[in-house]
């Protein structure tokens, strides 16, 4: 399973990765520049990656985190979003009906909608799956001039992240963001500042599908139980009414 | 319907026509142009009010079915058909609104063949569709009786019990699942409303309020259609009283569970926090449960039909408010933006509900839904019908007929709706290509002009005389007014004032607008519009020379960066930024004075984008007779 390792301490916020992303995703660069100015977080249907400040001189990356147990995949009612075996979480525009439940379900607020279009689709980062299948790297990783972005197998990146933290004592906070949050993400971050202002929760947060999927597995049984109980109840009451010689309940006070 | 209540239908026709136009605009211009939905608030009025709340208000169909078919309480049988009609209309309008809400309405059938059984929305979609089918089957005998299809009607009566039980099972599933939809947003939904008990809250409130809606509709129909209204002590009213008691008992249970949940999870702290959410929560819970339960329980109000009707209406309102809280208001704090539905959204929402109301009236007037004589209702309606008086050759009561009246309403409604709902150009659209309009002089000498080129309401004051003076008096006219070119009246400001978009400079205006507005806590509708004066003196001419130096704000960026420590913590080196600034900048500053090129020491001399200058210029939408070399020259 592929992943991306992002080192906050190395990012200078130059937006080179965003420009590469805009080019690779075939978005309109003018629209992307405009959306950077008019949106809160720089993320839009034309701008699938955004570099946002955490504090005065540290930046972090906003884009699809490619969760290990993605909420959007579990939420999409037609299965238009899938977790591929390679790692990326990808969107299939041929299935989508435009209900926007994935936008509500994503804990990172990542999927964006092409509101300007009369036949709109959801837009999200696909970790450049086409490039990966040809043996390449994601466009943002290739574009970074400062090696703030690393690419490889998620397990290797995790080892690398912990190695960097161990080898530079005091430089990093002892935490790899994305290792456990929401069940783990394929995009991992290491940093010297706390990333919770950028929307990261406690490491112990459970994956969102674990909140709903045990419940939905029970629904057929609940439905069958309700139907059975109603039928049984009705049969019992009807029999009693017949035995007592009552054809129908009399009207009267409560 | 009596003559005195006909305004209700007129109002419904009005909203239905306005809604019709809203539907046309939504389909023609798309979601973005007609709604105020955004990436921060992806779910809005249509989904929450029409779908989530609309379906919940229509639970009467299965609860009354359960009372009559499950518990064999025959006294409620007269309410079965009204309740099923309500369910049919509630579900029908919800499905219709949902089809328009999704981005690609022509793909509404996708969930039927593309399955994701892990999704609660998938379950809701299937259950709603199946239950809608169930209501159609349950309602069809009413219509088939008129067509004398006795064998089909007989078959439907035989399977009625099985159909009702299926409907009960389906309803119990999807009404709780509508609450489970919001379980996926633990970090977004306000903790007052987010709880793992959401499915239980949703189904209990839906059942309670759904029963209350049946009571309310029965009382209103009696008031509108029946000669003898329902009064206290009436047998009909005693039946409604007991139904309202059942509803109130369920609402009381709902209230206990919600308060217990507040205490158990410790979220009561948010209720006493005094934020607007806590007030909303208190109002919602009072309206949906506390007041209706008290009104039904107190002997004085219990005996009064108006009080029961008020309690029922309040319960229905409280339920709608609860769904809006969970689906819209509870997300606003996390979204950091206010979502106020656009006029178009309101029009479409209310239009669909009004249309459902009109269908209700039509069915009630023409079919045996309510127990007593529907034929009299139809006759009463026909009394208003227009008649042609042969002697005088004049139509009597020309507007008495239903459709004539509706036509008159349409004549008023459609132009108003067109004027109000026609989508405004989005602010992010490209510039208006319509021809520029001439400026207006503010004084006799044309010293100052007011320019609103595309009549967009955003005018600027243009110091005309000052420009003449600076550019060389009379000879200067042709610089801007190309009288030699036919149809070319004047030059756009940007032809001369190019500095703002100077593409070779790293400085990004569009990024600074919002960043400066945020850091300086500017206020206003479009905060970034006020950010110009943060860097440019208001009185000075705009341009890079009159702007504040970059370093005034970016001082921090120039302080020594973090030192780099090797794994052993031994060797140290300066950070990249400090090293570059330390070695390059000093020399640049020195050379600047020697070769007299002040731009050498500007930040933008080094910090510039490496791409082709002309490509960037055209990407920025820049028109001008420029070449690569001339752009470099301007730097």
């Amino acid at each position: 399973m592929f992943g991306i390792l992002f080192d906050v301490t190395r990012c200078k916020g130059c937006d080179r990765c965003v420009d590469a992303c805009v080019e690779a995703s075939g978005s309109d660069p003018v629209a992307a520049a405009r959306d950077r100015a008019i949106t809160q977080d720089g993320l839009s249907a034309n701008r699938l990656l955004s570099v946002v400040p955490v504090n005065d001189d540290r930046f972090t990356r906003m884009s699809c985190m490619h969760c290990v147990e993605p909420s959007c995949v579990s939420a999409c009612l037609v299965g238009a979003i899938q977790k591929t075996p390679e790692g990326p979480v990808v969107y299939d525009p041929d299935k989508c009906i435009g209900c926007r439940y994935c936008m509500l379900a994503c804990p990172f607020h990542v999927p964006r909608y092409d509101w300007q279009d009369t036949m709109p689709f959801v837009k999200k980062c696909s970790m450049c799956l086409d490039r990966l299948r040809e043996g390449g790297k994601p466009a943002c990783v290739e574009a970074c001039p400062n090696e703030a972005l690393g690419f490889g197998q998620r397990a290797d990146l995790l080892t690398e992240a912990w190695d960097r933290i161990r080898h530079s004592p005091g430089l990093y906070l002892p935490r790899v963001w994305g290792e456990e949050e929401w069940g783990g993400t394929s995009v991992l971050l290491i940093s010297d500042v706390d990333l919770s202002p950028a929307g990261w929760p406690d490491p112990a947060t459970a994956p969102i599908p674990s909140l709903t999927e045990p419940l939905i597995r029970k629904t057929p049984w609940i439905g069958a139980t309700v139907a059975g109980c109603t039928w049984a109840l009705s049969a019992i009451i009807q029999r009693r009414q017949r035995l007592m010689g009552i054809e129908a309940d009399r009207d009267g006070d409560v | 319907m009596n003559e005195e209540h006909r305004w209700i239908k007129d109002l419904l026709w009005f909203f239905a026509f306005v809604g019709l136009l809203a539907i046309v605009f939504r389909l023609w211009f798309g979601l973005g142009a007609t709604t105020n939905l955004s990436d921060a608030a992806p779910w809005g009025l249509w989904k929450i009010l029409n779908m989530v709340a609309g379906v919940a208000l229509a639970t009467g169909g299965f609860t009354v079915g359960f009372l009559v078919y499950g518990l064999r309480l025959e006294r409620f049988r007269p309410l079965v058909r009204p309740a099923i009609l309500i369910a049919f209309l509630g579900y029908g309008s919800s499905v219709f609104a949902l089809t328009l809400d999704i981005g690609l309405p022509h793909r509404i059938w996708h969930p039927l063949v593309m399955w994701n059984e892990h999704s609660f929305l998938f379950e809701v979609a299937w259950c709603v569709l199946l239950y809608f089918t169930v209501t159609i089957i349950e309602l069809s005998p009413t219509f088939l009786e008129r067509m004398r299809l006795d064998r089909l009607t007989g078959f439907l009566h035989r399977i009625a019990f099985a159909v009702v039980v299926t409907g009960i099972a389906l309803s119990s599933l999807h009404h709780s699942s509508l609450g489970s939809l919001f379980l996926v947003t633990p970090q977004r939904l306000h903790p007052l409303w987010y709880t793992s008990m959401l499915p239980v809250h949703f189904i209990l409130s839906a059942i309670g309020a759904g029963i209350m809606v049946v009571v309310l509709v029965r009382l209103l129909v009696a008031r509108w259609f029946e000669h003898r209204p329902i009064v206290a002590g009436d047998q009909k009213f005693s039946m409604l009283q007991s139904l309202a008691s059942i509803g109130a008992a369920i609402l009381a249970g709902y209230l206990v569970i919600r308060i217990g949940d507040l205490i158990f999870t410790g979220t009561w702290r948010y209720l006493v926090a005094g934020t607007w959410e806590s007030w909303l929560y208190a109002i919602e819970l009072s309206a949906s449960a506390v007041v209706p339960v008290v009104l039904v329980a107190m002997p004085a109000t219990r005996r009064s039909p108006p009080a029961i009707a008020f309690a029922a209406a309040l319960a229905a309102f409280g339920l709608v408010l609860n769904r809006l809280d969970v689906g819209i208001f509870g997300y606003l704090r996390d979204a950091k933006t206010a979502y106020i539905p656009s006029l178009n959204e309101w029009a479409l929402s209310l239009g669909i509900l009004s249309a459902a109301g009109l269908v209700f009236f039509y069915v009630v007037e023409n079919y045996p839904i309510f127990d007593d004589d529907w034929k009299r209702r139809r006759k009463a309606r026909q009394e208003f019908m227009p008649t042609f008086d042969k002697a005088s050759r004049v139509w009597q009561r020309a507007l008495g007929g239903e459709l004539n009246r509706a036509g008159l309403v349409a004549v008023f409604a459609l132009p108003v709706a067109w004027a109000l709902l026609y989508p405004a150009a989005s602010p992010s659209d490209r510039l208006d290509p319509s021809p520029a309009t001439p400026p207006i002089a503010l004084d006799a000498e044309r010293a100052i002009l007011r320019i609103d080129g595309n009549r967009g309401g955003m005018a600027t004051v243009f110091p005309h005389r000052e420009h003449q003076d600076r550019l060389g008096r009379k000879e200067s006219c042709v610089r801007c007014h190309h009288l030699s070119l036919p149809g070319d009246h004047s030059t756009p400001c940007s032809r001369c004032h190019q500095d703002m978009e100077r593409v070779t400079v790293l400085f990004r205006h569009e990024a600074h607008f919002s960043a400066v507005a945020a850091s300086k806590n500017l206020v206003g509708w479009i905060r970034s519009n006020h950010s110009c004066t943060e860097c440019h003196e208001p009185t000075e001419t705009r341009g890079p020379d009159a702007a504040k130096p970059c370093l005034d704000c970016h001082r921090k960026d120039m302080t020594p960066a973090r030192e780099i420590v090797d794994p052993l913590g031994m060797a140290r080196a300066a950070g990249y930024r400090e090293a570059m600034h330390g070695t390059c900048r000093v020399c640049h500053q020195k050379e600047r004075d020697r070769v007299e090129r002040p731009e050498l020491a500007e930040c933008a001399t080094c910090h510039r984008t490496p791409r082709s200058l002309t490509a960037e210029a055209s990407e920025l939408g820049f028109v001008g007779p420029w070449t690569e070399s001339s752009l470099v020259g301007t730097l």
Side-chain angles (χ1 to χ4, degrees):
Chain A
M1 200 162 66
F2 284 116
I4 292 175
L5 174 63
F6 177 60
D7 191 333
V8 172
T9 61
R10 294 185 187 180
C11 178
K12 304 286 179 232
C14 71
D15 266 8
R16 222 43 93 78
C17 52
V18 180
D19 292 342
C21 177
V22 168
E23 202 183 327
S25 58
S27 305
D28 176 9
V30 181
R34 179 197 69 209
D35 287 348
R36 181 188 156 123
I38 63 174
T39 54
Q40 279 180 22
D41 47 18
L43 218 54
S44 78
N46 302 305
R47 226 166 166 271
L48 308 181
L49 169 68
S50 170
V51 174
V52 291
V54 189
N55 60 18
D56 285 340
D57 60 350
R58 286 287 178 273
F59 301 88
T60 187
R61 181 189 146 93
M62 262 200 78
S63 187
C64 181
M65 298 293 168
H66 301 282
C67 304
V68 177
E69 291 179 59
S71 174
C72 55
V73 171
S74 158
C76 178
L77 80 166
V78 290
I81 308 183
Q82 293 293 339
K83 176 89 176 167
T84 53
E86 291 96 333
V89 175
V90 293
Y91 165 78
D92 178 2
D94 292 337
K95 285 186 173 179
C96 180
I97 65 168
C99 74
R100 312 185 291 282
Y101 191 35
C102 51
M103 301 171 68
L104 199 70
C106 175
F108 296 103
H109 301 51
V110 163
R112 298 291 153 138
Y113 210 52
D114 199 354
W115 296 102
Q116 298 306 317
D117 206 335
T118 38
M119 285 289 161
F121 292 97
V122 170
K123 298 281 167 68
K124 73 177 278 302
C125 157
S126 63
M127 215 198 264
C128 296
L129 185 64
D130 298 343
R131 286 161 164 258
L132 300 200
R133 292 204 167 135
E134 287 161 14
K137 289 178 176 181
C140 54
V141 177
E142 269 183 8
C144 182
N146 225 17
E147 292 182 358
L149 287 163
F151 178 73
Q153 292 292 321
R154 182 176 184 265
D156 300 343
L157 292 176
L158 206 53
T159 326
E160 154 123 26
W162 281 112
D163 279 351
R164 276 196 216 168
I165 293 171
R166 231 170 277 128
H167 287 305
S168 316
L171 179 56
Y172 297 101
L173 293 177
R175 173 174 172 186
V176 177
W177 278 267
E179 188 179 9
E180 287 168 340
E181 292 86 353
W182 304 117
T185 61
S186 292
V187 176
L188 304 165
L189 288 85
I190 50 176
S191 167
D192 56 346
V193 292
D194 183 24
L195 294 183
S196 49
W200 283 90
D202 273 3
T205 336
I208 289 176
S210 74
L211 299 174
T212 56
E213 288 188 1
L215 206 58
I216 199 162
R217 252 177 247 126
K218 293 186 193 131
T219 47
W221 310 117
I222 296 175
T225 314
V226 170
C229 287
T230 312
W231 179 78
L233 204 61
S234 158
I236 293 169
I237 294 174
Q238 200 175 19
R239 185 168 174 274
R240 271 188 58 191
Q241 282 178 347
R242 204 173 48 237
L243 288 178
M244 291 167 73
I246 306 169
E247 277 307 311
D249 208 22
R250 277 187 305 117
D251 274 352
D253 286 335
V254 191
Chain B
M1 184 165 259
N2 310 330
E3 185 70 39
E4 58 172 316
H5 291 127
R6 291 195 94 192
W7 62 269
I8 297 174
K9 267 192 205 169
D10 295 341
L11 207 62
L12 291 180
W13 276 113
F14 178 83
F15 281 118
F17 279 118
V18 174
L20 186 69
L21 205 59
I23 291 172
V24 171
F25 284 154
R26 179 261 171 269
L27 291 173
W28 189 258
F29 294 102
L31 279 178
T34 50
T35 67
N36 279 349
L37 296 171
S38 64
D39 287 332
W43 277 22
L45 198 66
W46 298 343
K47 227 174 232 133
I48 305 301
L49 180 71
N50 290 68
M51 165 74 193
V52 180
V55 161
L57 286 176
T59 43
F62 95 91
T63 42
V64 175
F66 178 76
L67 292 177
V68 174
Y69 286 87
L71 299 182
R72 300 267 161 195
L73 297 171
E74 287 293 328
R75 60 192 311 219
F76 294 126
R77 191 170 283 278
L79 291 178
V80 169
R81 276 190 176 176
I84 289 171
L85 179 61
I86 294 168
F88 169 76
L89 292 174
Y91 278 75
S93 64
S94 298
V95 170
F96 190 63
L98 190 68
T99 310
L100 292 166
D101 173 89
I102 63 173
L104 305 162
H106 57 289
R107 292 185 175 179
I108 187 76
W109 53 274
H110 273 201
L112 297 181
V113 291
M114 300 170 189
W115 287 23
N116 177 16
E117 58 277 14
H118 300 297
S119 167
F120 267 112
L121 197 60
F122 172 76
E123 193 214 318
V124 168
W126 263 93
C127 282
V128 166
L129 190 72
L130 289 177
Y131 185 69
F132 185 49
T133 316
V134 164
T135 59
I136 292 173
I137 296 173
E138 287 176 339
L139 198 60
S140 54
T142 315
F143 299 94
L144 296 175
E145 275 164 11
R146 286 267 296 274
M147 295 181 202
R148 309 232 178 282
L149 296 167
D150 294 336
R151 288 181 62 188
L152 186 57
T153 321
F155 170 71
L156 286 173
H157 276 301
R158 271 200 302 285
I159 62 165
F161 181 73
V163 171
V164 169
V165 171
T166 315
I168 291 167
L170 288 170
S171 300
S172 63
L173 287 184
H174 71 257
H175 283 295
S176 49
S177 297
L178 280 168
S180 312
L181 283 184
F182 301 97
L183 286 180
V184 297
T185 53
Q187 80 298 348
R188 286 191 176 189
L189 187 55
H190 193 274
L192 266 177
W193 288 285
Y194 186 85
T195 154
S196 53
M197 296 285 280
L198 267 176
V200 180
H201 291 177
F202 265 56
I203 191 165
L204 280 182
S205 57
I207 292 175
I211 289 177
M212 294 307 229
V213 168
V214 176
V215 174
L216 177 68
V217 168
R218 185 69 194 89
L219 286 168
L220 286 179
V221 166
R223 185 176 158 76
W224 290 332
F225 288 107
E226 288 164 18
H227 285 307
R228 209 160 51 85
I230 291 181
V231 289
D234 204 338
Q235 211 177 53
K236 269 184 204 156
F237 185 61
S238 93
M239 174 186 73
L240 291 180
Q241 264 182 337
S242 32
L243 193 61
S245 310
I246 296 172
I250 291 165
L251 287 179
Y254 165 66
L255 182 65
V256 169
I257 289 183
R258 270 194 85 174
I259 290 175
D261 194 35
L262 270 190
I263 296 166
F264 187 71
T265 56
T267 40
W268 58 269
R269 274 185 237 102
Y270 297 99
L271 187 58
V272 295
T275 56
W276 61 266
E277 283 102 341
S278 35
W279 286 103
L280 196 61
Y281 189 93
I283 293 170
E284 170 219 314
L285 204 57
S286 318
S288 66
V290 179
V291 181
V293 168
V294 169
L295 281 179
V296 174
M298 282 206 319
T301 46
R302 181 186 164 70
R303 278 195 287 271
S304 138
I308 293 288
F310 177 71
L314 205 58
F317 167 76
L319 177 102
V320 172
L321 189 57
N322 169 260
R323 299 308 192 257
L324 291 176
D325 286 349
V326 174
I328 294 174
F329 297 126
Y331 288 96
L332 294 187
R333 190 172 289 269
D334 173 72
K336 297 188 195 79
T337 46
Y339 160 71
I340 299 159
S342 68
L343 265 184
N344 215 308
E345 288 180 85
W346 284 111
L348 195 144
S349 254
L350 298 179
I352 289 176
L353 294 176
S354 304
L358 287 170
V359 174
F360 178 83
F361 281 128
Y362 175 77
V363 175
V364 165
E365 282 169 0
N366 291 289
Y367 292 92
I369 295 292
F370 288 91
D371 43 2
D372 49 3
D373 48 348
W374 55 274
K375 279 183 184 152
R376 191 179 52 69
R377 285 199 289 273
R378 194 162 64 156
K379 196 162 160 286
R381 190 168 64 86
Q382 280 166 350
E383 278 169 17
F384 309 128
M385 292 296 272
T387 52
F388 186 65
D389 186 35
K390 277 187 182 158
S392 60
R393 290 172 174 256
V394 165
W395 280 92
Q396 304 285 337
R397 295 188 298 270
L399 288 174
E402 203 72 57
L403 290 177
N404 299 16
R405 244 179 122 95
L408 183 66
V409 173
V411 168
F412 284 105
L414 289 175
V416 173
W418 189 283
L420 287 177
L421 300 182
Y422 196 90
S426 163
S428 49
D429 279 354
R430 298 296 176 80
L431 285 177
D432 186 358
S434 61
T437 54
I440 302 162
L442 294 180
D443 56 332
E445 297 183 321
R446 295 182 73 82
I448 294 179
L449 305 178
R450 186 173 182 278
I451 303 178
D452 182 5
N454 57 2
R455 290 207 182 107
M458 308 258 272
T460 185
V461 174
F462 175 73
H464 190 223
R465 170 63 51 77
E466 198 190 314
H467 276 75
Q468 285 173 315
D469 290 348
R470 193 181 313 133
L471 296 175
R473 292 284 170 172
K474 275 186 178 168
E475 288 72 32
S476 72
C477 299
V478 288
R479 286 196 172 211
C480 302
H481 302 279
H482 297 265
L483 298 175
S484 54
L485 293 176
D488 191 2
H489 296 299
S490 59
T491 308
C493 305
S494 60
R495 187 68 62 84
C496 301
H497 296 278
Q498 301 160 345
D499 324 57
M500 182 180 143
E501 300 284 1
R502 184 189 272 179
V503 287
T504 51
V505 175
L506 180 85
F507 184 80
R508 298 173 83 142
H509 256 104
E510 78 270 31
H512 276 75
F513 285 148
S514 50
V516 168
S519 66
K520 303 282 181 188
N521 290 323
L522 298 181
V523 289
W525 273 108
I526 301 169
R527 298 183 306 158
S528 47
N529 277 359
H530 303 262
S531 62
C532 308
T533 50
E534 292 296 328
C535 301
H536 301 277
E537 282 296 320
T539 49
E540 290 278 325
T541 325
R542 296 278 150 87
D545 306 331
K548 205 195 254 186
C550 302
L551 282 181
D552 273 15
C553 300
H554 291 276
R555 179 67 63 190
K556 198 167 221 161
D557 297 340
M558 299 298 292
T559 53
R562 180 179 296 280
E563 290 174 326
I564 294 171
V565 186
D566 83 339
L568 298 171
M570 295 293 284
R572 285 157 182 270
Y576 177 80
R577 189 167 55 193
E578 198 210 17
M580 288 301 131
H581 281 157
T583 45
C584 310
R585 200 165 52 90
V586 183
C587 198
H588 269 248
Q589 276 168 349
K590 206 156 66 187
E591 286 293 290
R592 167 187 62 185
D593 301 328
R594 197 177 66 80
V595 301
E596 291 181 348
R597 282 184 63 195
E599 68 270 23
L600 260 187
E602 278 175 17
C603 302
T605 307
C606 299
H607 292 274
R608 48 187 280 192
T609 40
R611 277 187 294 169
S612 151
L613 302 176
T614 43
E616 189 152 358
S618 63
E619 273 174 19
L620 284 164
F622 231 63
V623 256
W626 286 6
T627 60
E628 182 94 11
S629 52
S630 76
L631 284 171
V632 173
T634 59
L635 181 78

